[in-house]
Amino acid sequence: MTVASTLALILVVLLLSVAAWTVVARQTFAAVVGFVAYGLLLSIAWVALSAVDVALTEAAIGSGLTGVLLIGASARLRVTEAAASPERPGALLRGLGALASAMVAGGIAASVLSLPEPAPTLAPAVAEHLPSIGLGNAVTVVLLAYRGIDTLLESIVVVFALIGVWSLAPDRVWGGYPGPRQYADPNGILAYLGRVLPPIGIIVGVYIFWVGADLPGGKFQGATILAAMWLLGMMAGLADAPPISRTWLRILLVAGPLLFIAIGFAGALTAGAVLAYPDGYAKLLIKVIEAALMPTLTLTLALLVAGRPERTARG
Amino acid sequence: MNDFLLVAAGFLLLTVALGLVRIMRGPGDADRMMSAQLLGTGGVAVLLLVGAAASVPAAIDVALILAVLAAFASVAFVKSASPPESIADKEAGGA
Amino acid sequence: MSFLLDVLTVAAISAGLFFFLAGSIGLLRFPDALSRLHALTKADNVGLGLVMLGLLPRADGLLAALKLVFVWLLVLLASSMVSQLVARVARRGGSPS
């Protein structure tokens, strides 16, 4: 057995054990820690498979941001967790659920493993046309040039998700500040961390966004880091989410997708199809779209974690 | 040399897996957070080793993101593990 | 010259692995949360530092080497502050000790 396959085996065993433990853990907090650990291991697996863009996204969103979202949820549920335990489904129902999940997983595994070797893929066609776009990162090119419609709709769906979260607000605080007021001792460690780490994190986030043109990275991972740093400032009591009634917030949220749509329709006039780029302008337009989507994504991701409005707007 | 790096990465994964036992057994929330932190730092080391062995220079960027997000997630854990205290409590208790 | 660099890589990474192992065992075997935290931070700082040192000779140029050092410094900064916060949780009663 080669060294590489032994390493892969260790990763697989670890992944399965952590996943299994996350499912059976009794306490929500413990399960969320297990989930974050699982995300970490998964991003290592992606790097081992040379899928670095996916590893970046997994580390940033799958493990970091989603983990924090779940932690917030588990904190809110702590009050009712004890009361809800008599209502847990019985052993038979859970056994049936486990069986159904195992069958689905087995079906997917069987279909992936039974693909012909080499598996059918469009990668050579993409690689062949890469130089005509002018960017070096094939993932960015596929996301914004060949499957631009997917990225456009996804950026709109994310805004809808945010509106959905906001709609959970009670009527009297509609338009107010998201989430409870966070407090931390201004001379304490948490406030210090909240002052020192965000500037470094912002540099890292902008770097990851910038480098995504030719190397693994891009707007989504960069926006996640920026959102995480803003949330860190909020958790340290140094910053606050804006009240959702602010006009500038709403304009920024829709500006990105609107610009994307505008460029897409302009493509119908200049290049013959919606979301087509005229020759020679592809690289510039892609960079403009990515830059325009950054504020939208940062705001959306941060506000999704910040939650629904809970305090009335004071001004 | 590549083989040595991969063996080191595998050994490191097993070592960190030892720490994962603390997530399962740890009698308190602090122990689970510590185990997750070990996994984070170990994960950064494993990423650097695997990236060097497989000639994937972008693995350093993944390690960078991991370091930043691990700190962020740990702060969220800490904030949620301690029950919300009143402002008076905090000022009495000091920094 | 490159043989010496290889020896440095192997030696530094092996030493780093030793510290990680010590940290893990400490995390498992020490009696209470605060001493476990103490063991853990040794793995964090020294273990990662030695592994990073061992990988420096193999970096692709100056920028990659600087990024390696930057990652280590960032982990040092973040984990030192997070350890303080975790210690506070441990002392306040997040664990029975």
Side-chain angles (χ1 to χ4, degrees), chain A residues 82-170:
Chain A
S85 45
E87 293 178 17
R88 295 185 73 210
L92 177 62
L93 199 54
R94 278 186 281 153
L96 282 177
L99 188 61
S101 311
M103 278 173 23
V104 170
I108 296 178
S111 43
V112 167
L113 289 172
S114 68
L115 282 175
E117 193 76 45
T121 171
L122 288 171
V126 170
E128 194 188 317
H129 289 100
L130 217 51
S132 69
I133 305 268
L135 294 173
N137 185 2
V139 174
T140 305
V141 168
V142 169
L143 281 179
L144 283 169
Y146 299 137
R147 300 296 307 180
I149 186 74
D150 285 344
T151 312
L152 171 61
L153 293 178
E154 163 196 291
S155 64
I156 297 176
V157 161
V158 161
V159 175
F160 278 153
L162 184 61
I163 297 175
V165 168
W166 284 350
S167 70
L168 294 171

